[in-house]
């Protein structure tokens, strides 16, 4: 019996050691993405992951034909090897790779694709036991390679087949450097933690009086603004409801007005402007040091124009749009941190239908001329939420954004990426890979309107989306779309009508605390007058009390924690002197 116990303990110890080794060797996530069309494709990410012969260096081993097509192994003049699908008759005809996928894994996908002529949309599709799953989509070109990056989960474990879709059957599809890398949920969440830790920095505060260190002095550090803010939408109800005000202002440092700054709110009748409500909301936010995103100057959806606008002719509409820009922007210049300029201009085209195909770009140019000091967002839905929405894929989003940048010229970097994020069931690998692609533009990215449709897993899905956004190195800020109103919020509330948290509100509070947002840290200096803490990037206020010359004296000083500029710049030093 004793021998059996010893053997069991030994096996347990070996298992723990093995698990620790596996954990230590967990595959890091590759956030890189290319948005350029290149003469040569990059190497396959993760060495191809579970893809056999990912770079086609071993002929067609692992690859086969799907549907009615001929596949061919080719070399280019530089020695690069790839597979070609030709003589296709259906959109899914082409090359395929057989796999086995597990429903408890998250898969990140990438490959490089090319078409033989022109430009056309190419999708990576997985044929699973429960149906077809789109993993990624991009606009492929001829004579250069485009990266196709995405992600997928499956509803049931089983055999699967990777195929490539292109509705233009007259062109060949070229494929190279294919990767499909599985991650466990534990590994996926560890990526969040690792990235969030990178947004923290050791800060050492030294307190002295007349050049001498002050020991045992009470110290309080309060975060005023997070380096990666988490805000929430608000509406006019906050002006008259003290409970709403208290709940809101105690949590958030950033907001977006739900409807109160939109054109139909500010000019319901032609020539009769009314900023009463938005002015009052702006004043309230200023009193509570809450930053405001400008939402929105225009909305491209024809259903949400001021009632008098749709009947205008082109010349009158152009004049009215110019007046709108100058009015709202002059009023709130210096008071907002960015503007949603032409909202949802991938799905709708009201201004384009009236003023021509360049209408969006022209309006952005006019806005930039009025104020070039704040980011100008292209705010759109379904870029992260629905991979099946061809209108707003990351590739389509970037095409439109670059079109606008071309008109802005020297102010091209003023553009910013706004992603609405109205989720039903979030697809985490697709969200992350899409953010990777968009982040390659090196522009500010905000998740501007996060909510989750009501369902039994609403709070869990909200937490997943918030962690995905906050943990991604390319995301600069987040706004939750949950402005309270007595009859119910747009799609998701955080509180009941007595401002008691719902499950969604509990999730938000938990994460705000975990990420140090508006947190207060207290302690005291050591015998050498030092106090050290690990703080998230952001703006802080430190208060030193007691033992500074007089028993009841105190000193307040503001400081900012910024990312390290060099790898050896580990500790930020702050001197507080009297």
């Amino acid at each position: 019996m004793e021998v059996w116990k010893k053997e069991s303990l030994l096996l347990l110890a070996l298992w723990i050691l093995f698990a620790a080794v596996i954990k230590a060797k967990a595959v890091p996530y590759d956030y890189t993405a290319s948005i350029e069309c290149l003469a040569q494709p990059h190497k396959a990410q993760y060495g191809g992951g579970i893809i056999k012969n990912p770079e086609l260096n071993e002929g067609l081993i692992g690859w086969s034909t799907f549907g009615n097509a001929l596949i061919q192994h080719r070399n280019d003049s530089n020695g690069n090897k790839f597979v070609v699908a030709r003589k296709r008759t259906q959109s899914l005809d082409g090359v395929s790779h057989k796999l086995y996928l597990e429903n408890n894994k998250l898969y990140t996908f990438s490959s490089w694709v090319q078409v033989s002529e022109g430009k056309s949309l190419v999708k990576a599709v997985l044929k699973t036991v429960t149906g077809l799953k789109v993993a990624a989509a991009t606009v492929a070109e001829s004579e250069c390679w485009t990266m196709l990056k995405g992600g997928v989960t499956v509803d049931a474990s089983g055999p699967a087949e990777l195929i490539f879709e292109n509705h233009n059957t007259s062109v060949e599809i070229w494929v190279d450097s294919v990767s499909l890398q599985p991650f466990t949920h534990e590994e996926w969440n560890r990526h969040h933690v690792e990235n969030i830790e990178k947004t923290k920095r050791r800060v050492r505060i030294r307190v002295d009086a007349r050049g001498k260190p002050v020991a045992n002095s009470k110290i309080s550090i309060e975060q005023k603004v997070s380096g990666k803010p988490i805000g929430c939408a608000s509406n006019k109800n906050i002006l008259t409801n003290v409970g709403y005000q208290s709940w809101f202002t105690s949590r958030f440092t950033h907001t977006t007005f739900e409807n109160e700054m939109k054109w139909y709110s500010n000019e319901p009748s032609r020539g009769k402007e009314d900023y009463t409500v938005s002015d009052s909301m702006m004043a309230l936010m200023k009193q509570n040091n809450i930053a405001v995103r400008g939402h929105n100057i225009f909305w491209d959806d024809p259903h949400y124009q001021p009632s008098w606008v749709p009947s205008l002719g082109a010349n009158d509409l152009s004049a009215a749009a110019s007046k709108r820009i100058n009015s709202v922007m002059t009023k709130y210049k210096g008071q907002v941190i960015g503007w949603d300029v032409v909202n949802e201009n991938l799905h709708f085209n009201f201004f384009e239908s009236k003023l021509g195909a360049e209408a969006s770009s022209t309006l952005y140019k006019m806005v930039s001329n009025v104020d070039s000091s704040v980011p100008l967002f292209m705010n759109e839905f379904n870029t992260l939420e629905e991979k099946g929405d061809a209108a707003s894929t990351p590739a389509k989003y970037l095409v439109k954004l670059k079109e606008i940048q071309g008109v802005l010229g020297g102010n091209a970097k003023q553009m910013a990426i706004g992603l609405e994020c109205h989720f039903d069931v979030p697809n985490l690998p697709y969200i992350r890979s899409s953010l990777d692609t968009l982040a390659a533009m090196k522009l500010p990215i905000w998740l501007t309107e996060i909510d989750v449709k009501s369902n039994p897993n609403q709070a869990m899905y909200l937490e997943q989306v918030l962690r995905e956004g906050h943990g991604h190195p390319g995301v600069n800020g987040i706004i939750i779309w949950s402005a309270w109103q007595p009859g119910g919020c747009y799609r998701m509330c955080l509180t009941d009508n007595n401002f008691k948290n719902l499950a969604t509100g509990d999730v938000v509070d938990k994460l705000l605390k975990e990420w140090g947002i508006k947190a207060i840290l207290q302690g005291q200096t050591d015998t050498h007058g030092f106090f050290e803490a690990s703080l998230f990037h952001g703006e802080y206020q430190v208060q030193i009390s007691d033992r500074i010359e007089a028993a009841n004296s105190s000193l307040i000083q503001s400081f900012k924690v910024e990312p390290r500029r060099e790898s050896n710049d580990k500790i930020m030093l702050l001197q507080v002197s009297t």
Side-chain angles (χ1 to χ4, degrees), residues 101-319:
L101 302 181
E102 300 173 72
N103 67 346
N104 61 345
K105 298 285 179 67
L106 301 103
Y107 294 89
T108 185
F109 169 84
S110 64
S111 71
W112 289 77
V113 292
Q114 185 173 163
V115 290
S116 55
E117 298 178 16
K119 297 181 181 181
S120 55
L121 183 69
V122 174
K123 295 180 181 178
V125 180
L126 285 156
K127 183 183 179 184
T128 74
V129 293
T130 60
L132 298 178
K133 297 273 188 179
V134 177
T138 192
V139 178
E141 301 182 33
S142 61
E143 301 183 2
C144 60
W145 292 91
T146 300
M147 188 179 192
L148 182 61
K149 190 168 189 183
V152 71
T153 57
V154 293
D155 302 318
S157 299
E161 199 166 358
L162 171 65
I163 49 185
F164 294 84
E165 180 182 59
N166 184 346
H167 288 284
N168 184 358
T169 57
S170 66
V171 302
E172 298 175 349
I173 305 173
W174 301 7
V175 178
D176 198 2
S177 296
V178 185
S179 172
L180 190 67
Q181 175 64 37
F183 291 101
T184 65
H185 284 270
E186 181 187 10
E187 289 173 320
W188 197 261
N189 292 333
R190 198 177 308 142
H191 301 150
H192 297 155
V193 174
E194 289 168 357
N195 279 321
I196 289 169
E197 283 301 309
K198 293 175 184 177
T199 67
K200 297 174 77 173
R201 192 173 178 191
R202 298 296 298 178
V203 176
R204 182 179 294 164
I205 299 172
R206 184 179 189 273
V207 181
D208 67 53
R210 297 178 180 175
K212 294 182 179 181
V214 180
N216 302 318
S217 183
K218 291 181 180 177
I219 189 165
S220 176
I221 302 173
E222 181 179 1
Q223 187 191 76
K224 294 296 185 181
V225 180
S226 170
K228 187 175 282 192
I230 309 295
C232 186
S234 56
N235 60 32
K236 62 185 178 182
N237 292 298
I238 202 168
L239 295 173
T240 55
N241 191 306
V242 176
Y244 185 13
Q245 287 182 22
S246 176
W247 179 87
F248 190 93
T249 59
S250 65
R251 287 165 170 77
F252 302 112
T253 59
H254 288 68
T255 193
T256 302
F257 299 166
E258 189 176 36
N259 297 305
E260 290 77 6
M261 207 180 280
K262 292 173 180 172
W263 195 3
Y264 60 69
S265 296
N266 300 149
E267 195 177 359
S269 300
R270 188 175 186 181
K272 295 181 179 180
E273 295 181 334
D274 184 358
Y275 290 98
T276 305
V277 176
S278 54
D279 280 350
S280 297
M281 290 180 68
M282 184 66 76
L284 176 66
M285 299 306 165
K286 284 182 182 177
Q287 290 168 12
N288 290 280
N289 297 312
I290 296 174
V292 178
R293 293 187 70 255
H295 176 77
N296 50 53
I297 300 175
F298 300 108
W299 197 347
D300 232 352
D301 189 336
H303 296 100
Y304 293 101
Q305 305 304 322
S307 60
W308 53 273
V309 165
S311 62
L312 298 179
N315 291 337
D316 283 346
L317 177 59
S318 182

Side-chain angles (χ1 to χ4, degrees), residues 293 340 343-344 346 377-385 392-394 397-398 401 416-423 431-432 434-439 444-451 465 469 472 474-475 477-481:
R293 293 187 70 255
D340 294 331
N343 207 48
E344 300 174 354
L346 288 175
F377 286 83
M378 209 180 97
N379 197 44
E380 193 54 77
F381 64 91
N382 279 357
T383 303
L384 299 186
E385 304 97 304
S392 55
T393 63
Y397 187 105
L398 292 179
L401 187 146
I417 295 168
L419 307 169
E420 292 185 13
C421 299
H422 299 295
F423 288 98
I431 293 170
R432 188 181 291 184
S434 297
L435 287 171
D436 296 344
T437 299
L438 296 166
I445 298 176
W446 279 65
L447 309 187
T448 57
E449 303 180 14
I450 289 182
D451 63 21
V465 171
H472 196 284
V475 174
I478 290 170
I479 300 291
I480 301 165
W481 205 248

